[in-house]
Amino acid sequence: MKERLKRLSAAASRRSWWIYPLLLLIAFSSWSISSPPGSSPDEDFHLISAWCAWGTRDGLCMPGSTPDSRVVPSSIAHSPGCFAFSSKSAGGCPKYPGQFEESIKGNFASYYPNGYYRVAGLFAGPDIDQSVVLIRLLNCLVYAAGLAALLFLSAPERRSNYMLGSLVVLVPLGMFTVASVNPSSWAITSATLVWASAVEFARAQDRRRRISLAVLCAIGFAIGLSARADAAAYAGLAIVLA
């Protein structure tokens, strides 16, 4: 009986590198679908920034009257307005089909790096709800895929450390942020990957594994750099500490 339990435990440990990220992906995706557009912090700012990340696009983003303004669909400009700071209001916001308005809320003065917004902007479209869900699901997949790669490349005896470490910072706010359109989603992904992959790189003996971990660390750094300037600074500090 003991031997059978040991074999089952070993088999579960070998599969944990993909089972745990898959379960997280399911949880993230459920949250991203159940939350209405505009529910994450400053979502109207981030949506407008994504819609305008590729410049002028008919029906999505048009020049405003000043360099720091754009004309965007009213549905994203008012996305959090119907329920934000009002716990008794439902999340079903009114729609403004075919309506546009000028807004100064957006990354027009490069407050944030534009890399994240350009990727998110690829999913911008006339159906606001569908576009928001697609961006959120993309962010969920980026986190889950990065974590799966980290666990696969890590020594089996240390996988549980990284799984527990990721879970501690995800519940509850981290899970909501990762499954949102906020660029902090990628900052959390970067923080999850960079330090751990750098530590595993320093400990790895196999050349192929070291190269793979170095690539993963670089990807994590690039994800943070494209989302937030402070995320890149934290990633650099994590590499030094590792």
Side-chain angles (χ1 to χ4, degrees):
M1 186 66 178
K2 284 185 177 181
E3 290 299 321
R4 185 178 181 184
L5 288 174
K6 285 182 179 180
R7 288 196 299 271
L8 289 173
S9 178
S13 178
R14 288 194 299 270
R15 297 189 183 99
S16 64
W17 71 268
W18 64 267
I19 293 177
Y20 176 68
L22 177 61
L23 294 175
L24 273 184
L25 179 60
I26 294 172
F28 285 144
S29 301
S30 301
W31 198 314
S32 67
I33 294 171
S34 63
S35 300
S39 57
S40 65
D42 303 315
E43 187 155 318
D44 53 345
F45 176 95
H46 299 305
L47 286 176
I48 293 173
S49 300
W51 258 241
C52 295
W54 292 93
T56 300
R57 289 194 287 178
D58 188 39
L60 300 179
C61 180
M62 290 157 283
S65 59
T66 69
D68 294 330
S69 67
R70 302 290 188 274
V71 176
V72 296
S74 298
S75 295
I76 63 173
H78 293 287
S79 56
C82 60
F83 61 88
F85 307 108
S86 180
S87 59
K88 295 182 180 180
S89 297
C93 295
K95 304 298 181 183
Y96 305 89
Q99 297 184 38
F100 296 83
E101 63 183 75
E102 189 169 0
S103 176
I104 60 172
K105 284 189 174 182
N107 194 43
F108 312 136
S110 299
Y111 300 112
Y112 290 81
N114 207 39
Y116 167 80
Y117 292 127
R118 282 185 173 270
V119 174
L122 295 173
F123 298 89
D127 189 329
I128 307 300
D129 292 339
Q130 176 180 296
S131 298
V132 168
V133 169
L134 288 175
I135 295 170
R136 290 174 175 177
L137 292 177
L138 169 69
N139 292 342
C140 298
L141 183 61
V142 169
Y143 185 95
L147 183 61
L150 171 66
L151 296 178
F152 176 76
L153 294 171
S154 300
E157 64 271 15
R158 290 193 290 273
R159 286 176 182 168
S160 59
N161 297 340
Y162 300 132
M163 288 189 284
L164 179 61
S166 68
L167 191 61
V168 166
V169 298
L170 285 177
V171 180
L173 179 60
M175 178 169 288
F176 179 73
T177 305
V178 168
S180 73
V181 302
N182 196 304
S184 295
S185 170
W186 282 19
I188 294 174
T189 301
S190 175
T192 302
L193 297 180
V194 172
W195 181 82
S197 58
V199 168
E200 288 299 312
F201 171 84
R203 290 175 168 176
Q205 302 297 322
D206 180 76
R207 186 170 180 270
R208 286 187 178 180
R209 180 166 293 189
R210 295 195 76 184
I211 292 174
S212 299
L213 285 164
V215 171
L216 181 62
C217 184
I219 291 173
F221 188 90
I223 287 174
L225 180 63
S226 64
R228 299 177 59 111
D230 55 355
Y234 293 140
L237 177 61
I239 292 172
V240 172
L241 291 174

PDB file of all heavy atoms in Angstrom, residues 104-140:
ATOM      1  N   ILE A 104      -9.878  62.312 -22.773  1.00  0.00           N
ATOM      2  CA  ILE A 104      -8.457  62.531 -22.496  1.00  0.00           C
ATOM      3  C   ILE A 104      -7.883  61.387 -21.669  1.00  0.00           C
ATOM      4  O   ILE A 104      -6.705  61.400 -21.313  1.00  0.00           O
ATOM      5  CB  ILE A 104      -8.228  63.863 -21.759  1.00  0.00           C
ATOM      6  CG1 ILE A 104      -8.989  63.874 -20.411  1.00  0.00           C
ATOM      7  CG2 ILE A 104      -8.645  65.038 -22.615  1.00  0.00           C
ATOM      8  CD1 ILE A 104      -8.666  65.059 -19.533  1.00  0.00           C
ATOM      9  N   LYS A 105      -8.729  60.396 -21.351  1.00  0.00           N
ATOM     10  CA  LYS A 105      -8.257  59.244 -20.587  1.00  0.00           C
ATOM     11  C   LYS A 105      -7.602  58.250 -21.537  1.00  0.00           C
ATOM     12  O   LYS A 105      -8.279  57.634 -22.362  1.00  0.00           O
ATOM     13  CB  LYS A 105      -9.419  58.571 -19.851  1.00  0.00           C
ATOM     14  CG  LYS A 105      -9.896  59.314 -18.628  1.00  0.00           C
ATOM     15  CD  LYS A 105     -10.888  58.459 -17.856  1.00  0.00           C
ATOM     16  CE  LYS A 105     -11.274  59.114 -16.535  1.00  0.00           C
ATOM     17  NZ  LYS A 105     -12.211  58.264 -15.764  1.00  0.00           N
ATOM     18  N   GLY A 106      -6.318  58.100 -21.411  1.00  0.00           N
ATOM     19  CA  GLY A 106      -5.599  57.170 -22.273  1.00  0.00           C
ATOM     20  C   GLY A 106      -4.114  57.384 -22.163  1.00  0.00           C
ATOM     21  O   GLY A 106      -3.648  58.392 -21.607  1.00  0.00           O
ATOM     22  N   ASN A 107      -3.370  56.456 -22.709  1.00  0.00           N
ATOM     23  CA  ASN A 107      -1.907  56.497 -22.621  1.00  0.00           C
ATOM     24  C   ASN A 107      -1.326  57.389 -23.726  1.00  0.00           C
ATOM     25  O   ASN A 107      -0.381  57.011 -24.418  1.00  0.00           O
ATOM     26  CB  ASN A 107      -1.349  55.070 -22.739  1.00  0.00           C
ATOM     27  CG  ASN A 107       0.100  54.976 -22.331  1.00  0.00           C
ATOM     28  OD1 ASN A 107       0.513  55.551 -21.328  1.00  0.00           O
ATOM     29  ND2 ASN A 107       0.887  54.252 -23.111  1.00  0.00           N
ATOM     30  N   PHE A 108      -1.882  58.582 -23.868  1.00  0.00           N
ATOM     31  CA  PHE A 108      -1.476  59.466 -24.955  1.00  0.00           C
ATOM     32  C   PHE A 108      -0.189  60.216 -24.645  1.00  0.00           C
ATOM     33  O   PHE A 108       0.469  60.716 -25.548  1.00  0.00           O
ATOM     34  CB  PHE A 108      -2.598  60.467 -25.257  1.00  0.00           C
ATOM     35  CG  PHE A 108      -3.953  59.829 -25.399  1.00  0.00           C
ATOM     36  CD1 PHE A 108      -5.072  60.378 -24.807  1.00  0.00           C
ATOM     37  CD2 PHE A 108      -4.100  58.651 -26.120  1.00  0.00           C
ATOM     38  CE1 PHE A 108      -6.310  59.773 -24.933  1.00  0.00           C
ATOM     39  CE2 PHE A 108      -5.332  58.036 -26.246  1.00  0.00           C
ATOM     40  CZ  PHE A 108      -6.445  58.612 -25.643  1.00  0.00           C
ATOM     41  N   ALA A 109       0.158  60.309 -23.371  1.00  0.00           N
ATOM     42  CA  ALA A 109       1.402  60.977 -22.978  1.00  0.00           C
ATOM     43  C   ALA A 109       2.447  59.972 -22.515  1.00  0.00           C
ATOM     44  O   ALA A 109       3.404  60.325 -21.840  1.00  0.00           O
ATOM     45  CB  ALA A 109       1.135  62.003 -21.871  1.00  0.00           C
ATOM     46  N   SER A 110       2.253  58.695 -22.878  1.00  0.00           N
ATOM     47  CA  SER A 110       3.197  57.604 -22.561  1.00  0.00           C
ATOM     48  C   SER A 110       3.439  57.472 -21.063  1.00  0.00           C
ATOM     49  O   SER A 110       4.572  57.380 -20.601  1.00  0.00           O
ATOM     50  CB  SER A 110       4.522  57.826 -23.297  1.00  0.00           C
ATOM     51  OG  SER A 110       4.326  57.829 -24.686  1.00  0.00           O
ATOM     52  N   TYR A 111       2.326  57.433 -20.292  1.00  0.00           N
ATOM     53  CA  TYR A 111       2.447  57.146 -18.864  1.00  0.00           C
ATOM     54  C   TYR A 111       2.931  55.715 -18.648  1.00  0.00           C
ATOM     55  O   TYR A 111       3.645  55.426 -17.689  1.00  0.00           O
ATOM     56  CB  TYR A 111       1.099  57.331 -18.173  1.00  0.00           C
ATOM     57  CG  TYR A 111       0.510  58.722 -18.289  1.00  0.00           C
ATOM     58  CD1 TYR A 111      -0.631  58.954 -19.036  1.00  0.00           C
ATOM     59  CD2 TYR A 111       1.106  59.806 -17.651  1.00  0.00           C
ATOM     60  CE1 TYR A 111      -1.172  60.221 -19.152  1.00  0.00           C
ATOM     61  CE2 TYR A 111       0.576  61.077 -17.758  1.00  0.00           C
ATOM     62  CZ  TYR A 111      -0.566  61.276 -18.508  1.00  0.00           C
ATOM     63  OH  TYR A 111      -1.092  62.535 -18.622  1.00  0.00           O
ATOM     64  N   TYR A 112       2.508  54.823 -19.516  1.00  0.00           N
ATOM     65  CA  TYR A 112       2.888  53.414 -19.471  1.00  0.00           C
ATOM     66  C   TYR A 112       3.638  53.066 -20.758  1.00  0.00           C
ATOM     67  O   TYR A 112       3.455  53.730 -21.781  1.00  0.00           O
ATOM     68  CB  TYR A 112       1.651  52.510 -19.381  1.00  0.00           C
ATOM     69  CG  TYR A 112       0.894  52.555 -18.088  1.00  0.00           C
ATOM     70  CD1 TYR A 112      -0.019  53.572 -17.823  1.00  0.00           C
ATOM     71  CD2 TYR A 112       1.062  51.562 -17.127  1.00  0.00           C
ATOM     72  CE1 TYR A 112      -0.735  53.608 -16.642  1.00  0.00           C
ATOM     73  CE2 TYR A 112       0.356  51.583 -15.944  1.00  0.00           C
ATOM     74  CZ  TYR A 112      -0.546  52.602 -15.700  1.00  0.00           C
ATOM     75  OH  TYR A 112      -1.260  52.637 -14.524  1.00  0.00           O
ATOM     76  N   PRO A 113       4.451  52.015 -20.737  1.00  0.00           N
ATOM     77  CA  PRO A 113       4.993  51.503 -22.002  1.00  0.00           C
ATOM     78  C   PRO A 113       3.843  51.090 -22.917  1.00  0.00           C
ATOM     79  O   PRO A 113       2.771  50.695 -22.446  1.00  0.00           O
ATOM     80  CB  PRO A 113       5.824  50.285 -21.563  1.00  0.00           C
ATOM     81  CG  PRO A 113       6.119  50.530 -20.115  1.00  0.00           C
ATOM     82  CD  PRO A 113       4.953  51.270 -19.563  1.00  0.00           C
ATOM     83  N   ASN A 114       4.040  51.153 -24.210  1.00  0.00           N
ATOM     84  CA  ASN A 114       2.945  50.902 -25.145  1.00  0.00           C
ATOM     85  C   ASN A 114       2.873  49.458 -25.635  1.00  0.00           C
ATOM     86  O   ASN A 114       1.938  49.096 -26.351  1.00  0.00           O
ATOM     87  CB  ASN A 114       3.066  51.838 -26.358  1.00  0.00           C
ATOM     88  CG  ASN A 114       1.727  52.113 -27.006  1.00  0.00           C
ATOM     89  OD1 ASN A 114       0.721  52.279 -26.317  1.00  0.00           O
ATOM     90  ND2 ASN A 114       1.691  52.173 -28.327  1.00  0.00           N
ATOM     91  N   GLY A 115       3.856  48.623 -25.237  1.00  0.00           N
ATOM     92  CA  GLY A 115       3.890  47.250 -25.741  1.00  0.00           C
ATOM     93  C   GLY A 115       2.651  46.455 -25.379  1.00  0.00           C
ATOM     94  O   GLY A 115       2.053  45.781 -26.236  1.00  0.00           O
ATOM     95  N   TYR A 116       2.251  46.515 -24.123  1.00  0.00           N
ATOM     96  CA  TYR A 116       1.064  45.771 -23.693  1.00  0.00           C
ATOM     97  C   TYR A 116      -0.171  46.247 -24.445  1.00  0.00           C
ATOM     98  O   TYR A 116      -0.980  45.441 -24.921  1.00  0.00           O
ATOM     99  CB  TYR A 116       0.848  45.921 -22.187  1.00  0.00           C
ATOM    100  CG  TYR A 116      -0.511  45.443 -21.746  1.00  0.00           C
ATOM    101  CD1 TYR A 116      -0.764  44.088 -21.570  1.00  0.00           C
ATOM    102  CD2 TYR A 116      -1.568  46.336 -21.560  1.00  0.00           C
ATOM    103  CE1 TYR A 116      -2.022  43.632 -21.196  1.00  0.00           C
ATOM    104  CE2 TYR A 116      -2.826  45.892 -21.194  1.00  0.00           C
ATOM    105  CZ  TYR A 116      -3.046  44.545 -21.003  1.00  0.00           C
ATOM    106  OH  TYR A 116      -4.304  44.096 -20.656  1.00  0.00           O
ATOM    107  N   TYR A 117      -0.325  47.560 -24.549  1.00  0.00           N
ATOM    108  CA  TYR A 117      -1.510  48.104 -25.207  1.00  0.00           C
ATOM    109  C   TYR A 117      -1.565  47.710 -26.686  1.00  0.00           C
ATOM    110  O   TYR A 117      -2.655  47.514 -27.234  1.00  0.00           O
ATOM    111  CB  TYR A 117      -1.539  49.623 -25.058  1.00  0.00           C
ATOM    112  CG  TYR A 117      -1.772  50.077 -23.640  1.00  0.00           C
ATOM    113  CD1 TYR A 117      -0.892  50.983 -23.023  1.00  0.00           C
ATOM    114  CD2 TYR A 117      -2.866  49.625 -22.902  1.00  0.00           C
ATOM    115  CE1 TYR A 117      -1.104  51.404 -21.719  1.00  0.00           C
ATOM    116  CE2 TYR A 117      -3.073  50.034 -21.605  1.00  0.00           C
ATOM    117  CZ  TYR A 117      -2.194  50.927 -21.015  1.00  0.00           C
ATOM    118  OH  TYR A 117      -2.402  51.343 -19.717  1.00  0.00           O
ATOM    119  N   ARG A 118      -0.416  47.612 -27.336  1.00  0.00           N
ATOM    120  CA  ARG A 118      -0.416  47.204 -28.741  1.00  0.00           C
ATOM    121  C   ARG A 118      -0.906  45.763 -28.894  1.00  0.00           C
ATOM    122  O   ARG A 118      -1.655  45.447 -29.823  1.00  0.00           O
ATOM    123  CB  ARG A 118       0.985  47.357 -29.335  1.00  0.00           C
ATOM    124  CG  ARG A 118       1.339  48.798 -29.695  1.00  0.00           C
ATOM    125  CD  ARG A 118       2.696  48.873 -30.383  1.00  0.00           C
ATOM    126  NE  ARG A 118       2.965  50.218 -30.874  1.00  0.00           N
ATOM    127  CZ  ARG A 118       2.627  50.654 -32.081  1.00  0.00           C
ATOM    128  NH1 ARG A 118       2.008  49.835 -32.917  1.00  0.00           N
ATOM    129  NH2 ARG A 118       2.899  51.875 -32.470  1.00  0.00           N
ATOM    130  N   VAL A 119      -0.483  44.894 -27.989  1.00  0.00           N
ATOM    131  CA  VAL A 119      -0.960  43.502 -28.049  1.00  0.00           C
ATOM    132  C   VAL A 119      -2.459  43.451 -27.758  1.00  0.00           C
ATOM    133  O   VAL A 119      -3.223  42.807 -28.483  1.00  0.00           O
ATOM    134  CB  VAL A 119      -0.181  42.622 -27.053  1.00  0.00           C
ATOM    135  CG1 VAL A 119      -0.770  41.208 -27.013  1.00  0.00           C
ATOM    136  CG2 VAL A 119       1.299  42.558 -27.427  1.00  0.00           C
ATOM    137  N   ALA A 120      -2.884  44.144 -26.704  1.00  0.00           N
ATOM    138  CA  ALA A 120      -4.307  44.159 -26.366  1.00  0.00           C
ATOM    139  C   ALA A 120      -5.128  44.794 -27.477  1.00  0.00           C
ATOM    140  O   ALA A 120      -6.255  44.367 -27.765  1.00  0.00           O
ATOM    141  CB  ALA A 120      -4.521  44.910 -25.053  1.00  0.00           C
ATOM    142  N   GLY A 121      -4.551  45.800 -28.137  1.00  0.00           N
ATOM    143  CA  GLY A 121      -5.266  46.492 -29.202  1.00  0.00           C
ATOM    144  C   GLY A 121      -5.562  45.625 -30.401  1.00  0.00           C
ATOM    145  O   GLY A 121      -6.456  45.938 -31.194  1.00  0.00           O
ATOM    146  N   LEU A 122      -4.831  44.525 -30.564  1.00  0.00           N
ATOM    147  CA  LEU A 122      -5.109  43.600 -31.664  1.00  0.00           C
ATOM    148  C   LEU A 122      -6.494  42.962 -31.535  1.00  0.00           C
ATOM    149  O   LEU A 122      -7.064  42.486 -32.524  1.00  0.00           O
ATOM    150  CB  LEU A 122      -4.043  42.501 -31.712  1.00  0.00           C
ATOM    151  CG  LEU A 122      -2.610  42.956 -32.031  1.00  0.00           C
ATOM    152  CD1 LEU A 122      -1.652  41.780 -31.878  1.00  0.00           C
ATOM    153  CD2 LEU A 122      -2.522  43.529 -33.437  1.00  0.00           C
ATOM    154  N   PHE A 123      -7.028  42.934 -30.308  1.00  0.00           N
ATOM    155  CA  PHE A 123      -8.322  42.311 -30.061  1.00  0.00           C
ATOM    156  C   PHE A 123      -9.447  43.336 -29.965  1.00  0.00           C
ATOM    157  O   PHE A 123     -10.593  42.964 -29.694  1.00  0.00           O
ATOM    158  CB  PHE A 123      -8.264  41.492 -28.763  1.00  0.00           C
ATOM    159  CG  PHE A 123      -7.264  40.369 -28.815  1.00  0.00           C
ATOM    160  CD1 PHE A 123      -5.940  40.580 -28.425  1.00  0.00           C
ATOM    161  CD2 PHE A 123      -7.624  39.112 -29.263  1.00  0.00           C
ATOM    162  CE1 PHE A 123      -5.012  39.545 -28.476  1.00  0.00           C
ATOM    163  CE2 PHE A 123      -6.708  38.082 -29.324  1.00  0.00           C
ATOM    164  CZ  PHE A 123      -5.395  38.296 -28.930  1.00  0.00           C
ATOM    165  N   ALA A 124      -9.128  44.603 -30.154  1.00  0.00           N
ATOM    166  CA  ALA A 124     -10.151  45.648 -30.101  1.00  0.00           C
ATOM    167  C   ALA A 124     -11.080  45.518 -31.294  1.00  0.00           C
ATOM    168  O   ALA A 124     -10.640  45.259 -32.420  1.00  0.00           O
ATOM    169  CB  ALA A 124      -9.492  47.026 -30.090  1.00  0.00           C
ATOM    170  N   GLY A 125     -12.370  45.704 -31.046  1.00  0.00           N
ATOM    171  CA  GLY A 125     -13.348  45.600 -32.127  1.00  0.00           C
ATOM    172  C   GLY A 125     -14.633  46.291 -31.759  1.00  0.00           C
ATOM    173  O   GLY A 125     -14.780  46.837 -30.659  1.00  0.00           O
ATOM    174  N   PRO A 126     -15.604  46.271 -32.644  1.00  0.00           N
ATOM    175  CA  PRO A 126     -16.866  46.960 -32.379  1.00  0.00           C
ATOM    176  C   PRO A 126     -17.680  46.333 -31.247  1.00  0.00           C
ATOM    177  O   PRO A 126     -18.474  47.015 -30.600  1.00  0.00           O
ATOM    178  CB  PRO A 126     -17.610  46.866 -33.724  1.00  0.00           C
ATOM    179  CG  PRO A 126     -16.979  45.710 -34.429  1.00  0.00           C
ATOM    180  CD  PRO A 126     -15.554  45.698 -33.992  1.00  0.00           C
ATOM    181  N   ASP A 127     -17.513  45.026 -31.016  1.00  0.00           N
ATOM    182  CA  ASP A 127     -18.211  44.356 -29.911  1.00  0.00           C
ATOM    183  C   ASP A 127     -17.338  44.491 -28.661  1.00  0.00           C
ATOM    184  O   ASP A 127     -16.373  43.738 -28.471  1.00  0.00           O
ATOM    185  CB  ASP A 127     -18.450  42.883 -30.253  1.00  0.00           C
ATOM    186  CG  ASP A 127     -19.353  42.184 -29.245  1.00  0.00           C
ATOM    187  OD1 ASP A 127     -19.316  42.566 -28.062  1.00  0.00           O
ATOM    188  OD2 ASP A 127     -20.081  41.265 -29.637  1.00  0.00           O
ATOM    189  N   ILE A 128     -17.683  45.449 -27.791  1.00  0.00           N
ATOM    190  CA  ILE A 128     -16.847  45.759 -26.624  1.00  0.00           C
ATOM    191  C   ILE A 128     -16.750  44.563 -25.680  1.00  0.00           C
ATOM    192  O   ILE A 128     -15.662  44.211 -25.218  1.00  0.00           O
ATOM    193  CB  ILE A 128     -17.403  46.986 -25.871  1.00  0.00           C
ATOM    194  CG1 ILE A 128     -17.599  48.169 -26.821  1.00  0.00           C
ATOM    195  CG2 ILE A 128     -16.483  47.355 -24.716  1.00  0.00           C
ATOM    196  CD1 ILE A 128     -16.342  48.633 -27.493  1.00  0.00           C
ATOM    197  N   ASP A 129     -17.897  43.931 -25.392  1.00  0.00           N
ATOM    198  CA  ASP A 129     -17.892  42.802 -24.452  1.00  0.00           C
ATOM    199  C   ASP A 129     -16.994  41.678 -24.942  1.00  0.00           C
ATOM    200  O   ASP A 129     -16.198  41.121 -24.185  1.00  0.00           O
ATOM    201  CB  ASP A 129     -19.314  42.273 -24.251  1.00  0.00           C
ATOM    202  CG  ASP A 129     -20.199  43.257 -23.509  1.00  0.00           C
ATOM    203  OD1 ASP A 129     -19.657  44.132 -22.818  1.00  0.00           O
ATOM    204  OD2 ASP A 129     -21.438  43.144 -23.626  1.00  0.00           O
ATOM    205  N   GLN A 130     -17.106  41.347 -26.216  1.00  0.00           N
ATOM    206  CA  GLN A 130     -16.281  40.265 -26.777  1.00  0.00           C
ATOM    207  C   GLN A 130     -14.807  40.629 -26.733  1.00  0.00           C
ATOM    208  O   GLN A 130     -13.960  39.786 -26.372  1.00  0.00           O
ATOM    209  CB  GLN A 130     -16.711  39.992 -28.212  1.00  0.00           C
ATOM    210  CG  GLN A 130     -15.856  38.942 -28.917  1.00  0.00           C
ATOM    211  CD  GLN A 130     -16.314  38.684 -30.339  1.00  0.00           C
ATOM    212  OE1 GLN A 130     -17.425  38.216 -30.551  1.00  0.00           O
ATOM    213  NE2 GLN A 130     -15.470  38.993 -31.316  1.00  0.00           N
ATOM    214  N   SER A 131     -14.487  41.866 -27.069  1.00  0.00           N
ATOM    215  CA  SER A 131     -13.080  42.291 -27.076  1.00  0.00           C
ATOM    216  C   SER A 131     -12.482  42.243 -25.677  1.00  0.00           C
ATOM    217  O   SER A 131     -11.349  41.785 -25.493  1.00  0.00           O
ATOM    218  CB  SER A 131     -12.974  43.718 -27.638  1.00  0.00           C
ATOM    219  OG  SER A 131     -13.417  43.774 -28.975  1.00  0.00           O
ATOM    220  N   VAL A 132     -13.247  42.709 -24.686  1.00  0.00           N
ATOM    221  CA  VAL A 132     -12.754  42.702 -23.304  1.00  0.00           C
ATOM    222  C   VAL A 132     -12.495  41.271 -22.839  1.00  0.00           C
ATOM    223  O   VAL A 132     -11.465  40.979 -22.219  1.00  0.00           O
ATOM    224  CB  VAL A 132     -13.760  43.411 -22.376  1.00  0.00           C
ATOM    225  CG1 VAL A 132     -13.417  43.172 -20.909  1.00  0.00           C
ATOM    226  CG2 VAL A 132     -13.765  44.913 -22.653  1.00  0.00           C
ATOM    227  N   VAL A 133     -13.422  40.363 -23.122  1.00  0.00           N
ATOM    228  CA  VAL A 133     -13.247  38.967 -22.709  1.00  0.00           C
ATOM    229  C   VAL A 133     -12.024  38.350 -23.386  1.00  0.00           C
ATOM    230  O   VAL A 133     -11.244  37.630 -22.743  1.00  0.00           O
ATOM    231  CB  VAL A 133     -14.522  38.153 -23.020  1.00  0.00           C
ATOM    232  CG1 VAL A 133     -14.257  36.654 -22.850  1.00  0.00           C
ATOM    233  CG2 VAL A 133     -15.656  38.574 -22.102  1.00  0.00           C
ATOM    234  N   LEU A 134     -11.822  38.630 -24.667  1.00  0.00           N
ATOM    235  CA  LEU A 134     -10.670  38.078 -25.383  1.00  0.00           C
ATOM    236  C   LEU A 134      -9.357  38.587 -24.788  1.00  0.00           C
ATOM    237  O   LEU A 134      -8.400  37.816 -24.628  1.00  0.00           O
ATOM    238  CB  LEU A 134     -10.749  38.446 -26.863  1.00  0.00           C
ATOM    239  CG  LEU A 134     -11.816  37.713 -27.684  1.00  0.00           C
ATOM    240  CD1 LEU A 134     -11.865  38.261 -29.103  1.00  0.00           C
ATOM    241  CD2 LEU A 134     -11.558  36.211 -27.705  1.00  0.00           C
ATOM    242  N   ILE A 135      -9.276  39.877 -24.451  1.00  0.00           N
ATOM    243  CA  ILE A 135      -8.059  40.423 -23.846  1.00  0.00           C
ATOM    244  C   ILE A 135      -7.808  39.781 -22.492  1.00  0.00           C
ATOM    245  O   ILE A 135      -6.674  39.407 -22.147  1.00  0.00           O
ATOM    246  CB  ILE A 135      -8.161  41.954 -23.710  1.00  0.00           C
ATOM    247  CG1 ILE A 135      -8.232  42.611 -25.082  1.00  0.00           C
ATOM    248  CG2 ILE A 135      -6.961  42.509 -22.934  1.00  0.00           C
ATOM    249  CD1 ILE A 135      -8.574  44.093 -25.046  1.00  0.00           C
ATOM    250  N   ARG A 136      -8.862  39.636 -21.717  1.00  0.00           N
ATOM    251  CA  ARG A 136      -8.711  39.008 -20.396  1.00  0.00           C
ATOM    252  C   ARG A 136      -8.250  37.557 -20.516  1.00  0.00           C
ATOM    253  O   ARG A 136      -7.363  37.111 -19.778  1.00  0.00           O
ATOM    254  CB  ARG A 136     -10.046  39.066 -19.641  1.00  0.00           C
ATOM    255  CG  ARG A 136     -10.453  40.464 -19.201  1.00  0.00           C
ATOM    256  CD  ARG A 136     -11.844  40.426 -18.598  1.00  0.00           C
ATOM    257  NE  ARG A 136     -12.247  41.712 -18.056  1.00  0.00           N
ATOM    258  CZ  ARG A 136     -13.437  41.946 -17.524  1.00  0.00           C
ATOM    259  NH1 ARG A 136     -14.336  40.978 -17.485  1.00  0.00           N
ATOM    260  NH2 ARG A 136     -13.730  43.149 -17.039  1.00  0.00           N
ATOM    261  N   LEU A 137      -8.849  36.812 -21.451  1.00  0.00           N
ATOM    262  CA  LEU A 137      -8.456  35.413 -21.629  1.00  0.00           C
ATOM    263  C   LEU A 137      -7.011  35.306 -22.105  1.00  0.00           C
ATOM    264  O   LEU A 137      -6.287  34.379 -21.718  1.00  0.00           O
ATOM    265  CB  LEU A 137      -9.398  34.722 -22.614  1.00  0.00           C
ATOM    266  CG  LEU A 137     -10.839  34.516 -22.130  1.00  0.00           C
ATOM    267  CD1 LEU A 137     -11.683  33.887 -23.239  1.00  0.00           C
ATOM    268  CD2 LEU A 137     -10.875  33.641 -20.882  1.00  0.00           C
ATOM    269  N   LEU A 138      -6.590  36.242 -22.945  1.00  0.00           N
ATOM    270  CA  LEU A 138      -5.188  36.259 -23.378  1.00  0.00           C
ATOM    271  C   LEU A 138      -4.268  36.426 -22.175  1.00  0.00           C
ATOM    272  O   LEU A 138      -3.265  35.707 -22.036  1.00  0.00           O
ATOM    273  CB  LEU A 138      -4.961  37.391 -24.370  1.00  0.00           C
ATOM    274  CG  LEU A 138      -3.493  37.681 -24.709  1.00  0.00           C
ATOM    275  CD1 LEU A 138      -2.896  36.537 -25.520  1.00  0.00           C
ATOM    276  CD2 LEU A 138      -3.356  38.999 -25.463  1.00  0.00           C
ATOM    277  N   ASN A 139      -4.596  37.361 -21.286  1.00  0.00           N
ATOM    278  CA  ASN A 139      -3.756  37.589 -20.112  1.00  0.00           C
ATOM    279  C   ASN A 139      -3.731  36.370 -19.192  1.00  0.00           C
ATOM    280  O   ASN A 139      -2.694  36.048 -18.594  1.00  0.00           O
ATOM    281  CB  ASN A 139      -4.254  38.818 -19.350  1.00  0.00           C
ATOM    282  CG  ASN A 139      -4.042  40.103 -20.122  1.00  0.00           C
ATOM    283  OD1 ASN A 139      -3.247  40.144 -21.065  1.00  0.00           O
ATOM    284  ND2 ASN A 139      -4.737  41.156 -19.737  1.00  0.00           N
ATOM    285  N   CYS A 140      -4.885  35.699 -19.067  1.00  0.00           N
ATOM    286  CA  CYS A 140      -4.929  34.457 -18.279  1.00  0.00           C
ATOM    287  C   CYS A 140      -4.005  33.404 -18.889  1.00  0.00           C
ATOM    288  O   CYS A 140      -3.272  32.708 -18.164  1.00  0.00           O
ATOM    289  CB  CYS A 140      -6.355  33.915 -18.240  1.00  0.00           C
ATOM    290  SG  CYS A 140      -7.576  34.985 -17.458  1.00  0.00           S
TER     291      CYS A 140
END
